Amino acid sequence: MKQKDVKIPEATIKRLSTYINCLEKLDGDGYQVVSSDLLGESCQVSPAQIRKDLSYFGEFGVRGVGYGTRSLAEQIKKILGLDHIWTTVLVGVGHLGQALLNFTAFRQHGFRIVGAFDADPAKIGTVVSDGVVIEPVSALDDTIHREQAGIGIITVPAANAQETADLLVEGGITGILNFAPIKVRVPENITLRNVSILSELDNLAYLLSNRTRRRSRKKS
Amino acid sequence: MKQKDVKIPEATIKRLSTYINCLEKLDGDGYQVVSSDLLGESCQVSPAQIRKDLSYFGEFGVRGVGYGTRSLAEQIKKILGLDHIWTTVLVGVGHLGQALLNFTAFRQHGFRIVGAFDADPAKIGTVVSDGVVIEPVSALDDTIHREQAGIGIITVPAANAQETADLLVEGGITGILNFAPIKVRVPENITLRNVSILSELDNLAYLLSNRTRRRSRKKS
DNA sequence: TTCATATTGTGATAAGAATCACGCAACCGG
DNA sequence: CCGGTTGCGTGATTCTTATCACAATATGAA
Ligand SMILES: NC(=O)c1ccc[n+]([C@@H]2O[C@H](COP(=O)([O-])OP(=O)(O)OC[C@H]3O[C@@H](n4cnc5c(N)ncnc54)[C@H](O)[C@@H]3O)[C@@H](O)[C@H]2O)c1
Ligand SMILES: NC(=O)c1ccc[n+]([C@@H]2O[C@H](COP(=O)([O-])OP(=O)(O)OC[C@H]3O[C@@H](n4cnc5c(N)ncnc54)[C@H](O)[C@@H]3O)[C@@H](O)[C@H]2O)c1
């Protein structure tokens, strides 16, 4: 992976993630080699787009032949940094937090949740998934250090998201995935991503409200 | 709302959704009028971007003054089609499905989940949230018609996502929000959006893996 | 070996989105 | 009621992303 130092579009990174899924599906279907055409068909991206995306990072295919299904998936995982375990903590074990803690695909993608924290005293001590016990927020710092956690997931109510982010940063986390519908602020050196499920639904509502006279776009 | 018939960037729609959140927060903080500058500060978008986004749909502000906080929020809701109730059904009441069923903000944004469906016989009949009882998938068609549901949410395992989408379409749903990590196929006239939490985490992993030598972008 | 075929990798081009910069409208203080 | 100030709306510009089209390279058959 030689990663030319041109800027990589964010959209490219998003697609790489989906390529992995499609490649694994195709691998399961028995394809040992896939062309950009076939892969594009499978994940609804144009073949040229796939080749361009990959070309940012190097050459992974064989001209006239295609890409090794399994090996390309591995390469992409390496590009995305999924070739090693990301130790993760989650704060706010409510409805969404519970769901994420039980989301087995995380583990398969290399994310291991090693700590779950909540402010509600009644929840402390509860076992939430294999081996993980809910701890008080006061234990965040210790656990982050002991487990060398690098990623923090925020699933507390919006009103408490900023303070939670602050605690995570203070504890030494370098990346945050925030599910609260609010823009939390973090220092320059912290990487933050927001997941807004509500805005996806809003988007759907908009599309449905304006179906008449719409160009035939087939994005996502 | 006059909606000039130029194409609206998808990114604009996504931002409109966040503007609503920020406006409601600012309203709560006592601002009756906000400038694009203040709003931009609050939701981390440039003032020019905000004005441009709004200009696609008309003129909502007063020159030299700003925007009425409450009224702008209302206008945006109208633009997004959030000025009426969207009747919704959810298929797959597992960990994630449970979380979504208990997500109160849905209701506040105008989405009402009127039906929950699962293939597991053991779950049928369970009450999941105020008044909603888990029904068998065979009841999908009836419920969609009876409740005039327009949106379907898919939270079944990836392997069952396509068949679920087919059922929803068959039942008369026109919009689908899919949480399964697979590209389901739907007819032209159905609006589909995919939510990929995993790919957000993958993205985070990528950013963390490549922190050295990175341009100072402050996107989401 | 040589030709026909498949399919990659990428520079050139087109399309799309964000930013700039400035005209103009509204308010305010004197 | 006038001049100064604020801050919106938007055409022009710049920056970013996607698409195109084709040279380059591997394979396999004759
Ligand atoms: N439920 C969903 O499907 C869903 C979907 C999208 C986004 N979200 C967002 O995720 C967040 C959580 O949603 P939820 O439905 O799980 O809410 P919830 O009320 O079920 O859970 C919130 C949990 O956070 C804990 N908590 C509160 N303050 C805390 C603090 N300061 N430190 C640690 N823990 C704290 C509470 O005790 C509770 O267990 C919200 O911001 C919500 O907007 C939820
Ligand atoms: N759990 C998460 O946090 C999370 C996050 C992102 C995406 N997802 C995705 O959401 C989906 C569900 O995840 P989950 O963790 O809730 O899984 P889960 O196994 O807890 O729940 C799946 C539910 O779907 C039901 N089901 C299975 N086949 C069905 C069918 N054909 N029709 C109706 N119901 C059916 C099952 O009985 C079960 O109740 C998966 O595709 C997963 O990849 C989950």
Side-chain angles (χ1 to χ4, degrees):
Chain A
M1 176 179 50
K2 51 184 148 201
Q3 166 94 32
K4 300 155 190 177
D5 63 350
V6 260
K7 186 184 39 57
I8 313 293
E10 172 154 350
T12 290
I13 302 301
K14 196 179 235 163
R15 283 190 297 268
L16 287 180
S17 176
T18 77
Y19 297 162
I20 295 177
N21 291 333
C22 291
L23 285 167
E24 286 177 346
K25 177 149 186 303
L26 289 167
D27 182 51
D29 290 353
Y31 292 94
Q32 296 182 310
V33 168
V34 293
S35 63
S36 57
D37 232 331
L38 176 60
L39 179 55
E41 177 68 27
S42 165
C43 59
Q44 300 178 52
V45 173
S46 80
Q49 182 72 75
I50 292 175
R51 298 200 298 275
K52 177 64 101 180
D53 284 342
L54 295 175
S55 79
Y56 286 121
F57 301 96
E59 309 194 358
F60 306 101
V62 180
R63 293 174 186 219
V65 180
Y67 303 90
T69 311
R70 195 126 269 285
S71 89
L72 182 57
E74 288 308 313
Q75 299 277 2
I76 295 178
K77 283 185 184 172
K78 197 172 285 183
I79 291 169
L80 294 179
L82 302 179
D83 54 343
H84 60 91
I85 302 288
W86 289 95
T87 311
T88 308
V89 297
L90 181 148
V91 186
V93 192
H95 292 104
L96 182 59
Q98 288 274 358
L100 294 175
L101 283 164
N102 287 286
F103 189 29
T104 51
F106 276 170
R107 176 77 48 119
Q108 284 151 27
H109 270 234
F111 300 94
R112 182 183 306 199
I113 300 182
V114 298
F117 302 83
D118 203 290
D120 183 351
K123 295 191 174 178
I124 311 299
T126 314
V127 177
V128 279
S129 68
D130 54 350
V132 178
V133 174
I134 301 182
E135 302 173 61
V137 178
S138 57
L140 242 185
D141 226 83
D142 274 359
T143 304
I144 291 175
H145 283 108
R146 176 165 28 85
E147 302 280 355
Q148 291 282 310
I151 293 178
I153 299 178
I154 298 178
T155 47
V156 300
N160 305 300
Q162 183 62 59
E163 60 186 81
T164 299
D166 294 344
L167 284 175
L168 287 169
V169 170
E170 209 178 307
I173 286 292
T174 54
I176 292 178
L177 193 66
N178 172 43
F179 284 85
I182 198 178
K183 295 276 179 180
V184 301
R185 278 165 215 277
V186 293
E188 263 295 311
N189 60 326
I190 304 294
T191 304
L192 169 71
R193 286 198 67 84
N194 297 294
V195 179
S196 178
I197 290 170
L198 220 26
S199 112
E200 292 293 336
L201 251 188
D202 288 352
N203 212 313
L204 186 57
Y206 169 76
L207 292 171
L208 289 173
S209 301
N210 297 71
R211 278 151 62 79
T212 47
R213 182 182 53 255
R214 185 167 93 239
R215 302 182 344 120
S216 62
R217 310 222 293 152
K218 51 192 75 166
K219 281 210 183 160
S220 175
Chain B
M1 176 179 51
K2 50 186 149 200
Q3 166 94 34
K4 299 154 188 178
D5 64 349
V6 260
K7 183 185 40 61
I8 314 293
E10 170 153 353
T12 289
I13 302 301
K14 196 180 238 163
R15 282 189 298 267
L16 287 180
S17 177
T18 77
Y19 298 161
I20 295 178
N21 291 333
C22 291
L23 286 167
E24 286 178 347
K25 178 150 184 302
L26 289 167
D27 182 51
D29 291 352
Y31 293 94
Q32 295 183 312
V33 167
V34 293
S35 62
S36 57
D37 233 331
L38 176 60
L39 179 56
E41 178 69 27
S42 164
C43 61
Q44 299 178 53
V45 174
S46 80
Q49 182 74 74
I50 291 174
R51 297 200 300 274
K52 175 65 100 180
D53 284 342
L54 295 174
S55 79
Y56 287 122
F57 301 96
E59 310 192 359
F60 306 102
V62 181
R63 294 176 185 214
V65 181
Y67 303 92
T69 311
R70 194 127 270 285
S71 89
L72 181 58
E74 288 310 313
Q75 298 277 2
I76 295 179
K77 281 185 185 173
K78 197 172 284 182
I79 292 169
L80 294 179
L82 301 179
D83 54 342
H84 59 92
I85 302 288
W86 288 96
T87 310
T88 308
V89 297
L90 181 147
V91 186
V93 192
H95 292 104
L96 182 58
Q98 288 273 359
L100 295 175
L101 284 164
N102 286 287
F103 189 29
T104 51
F106 275 169
R107 174 77 49 119
Q108 284 152 26
H109 271 235
F111 299 95
R112 183 182 306 199
I113 300 181
V114 299
F117 302 83
D118 204 290
D120 183 353
K123 296 191 172 179
I124 310 299
T126 313
V127 177
V128 279
S129 67
D130 54 350
V132 178
V133 174
I134 300 181
E135 302 174 62
V137 178
S138 57
L140 240 185
D141 226 83
D142 274 359
T143 304
I144 291 175
H145 283 108
R146 174 165 29 83
E147 303 280 355
Q148 292 282 311
I151 292 178
I153 299 178
I154 298 178
T155 46
V156 301
N160 305 301
Q162 183 62 58
E163 62 187 78
T164 299
D166 293 346
L167 284 174
L168 288 169
V169 170
E170 209 178 308
I173 286 293
T174 53
I176 292 179
L177 192 65
N178 172 42
F179 284 86
I182 198 177
K183 296 275 179 179
V184 302
R185 278 165 214 277
V186 294
E188 263 296 310
N189 59 327
I190 303 294
T191 304
L192 170 69
R193 286 198 65 84
N194 297 294
V195 179
S196 177
I197 291 171
L198 220 26
S199 110
E200 293 292 338
L201 252 188
D202 288 352
N203 212 312
L204 186 57
Y206 169 76
L207 292 172
L208 289 173
S209 302
N210 297 71
R211 279 149 63 80
T212 47
R213 183 184 48 257
R214 184 165 94 240
R215 298 179 351 116
S216 61
R217 308 223 294 152
K218 51 193 72 168
K219 282 210 183 158
S220 173

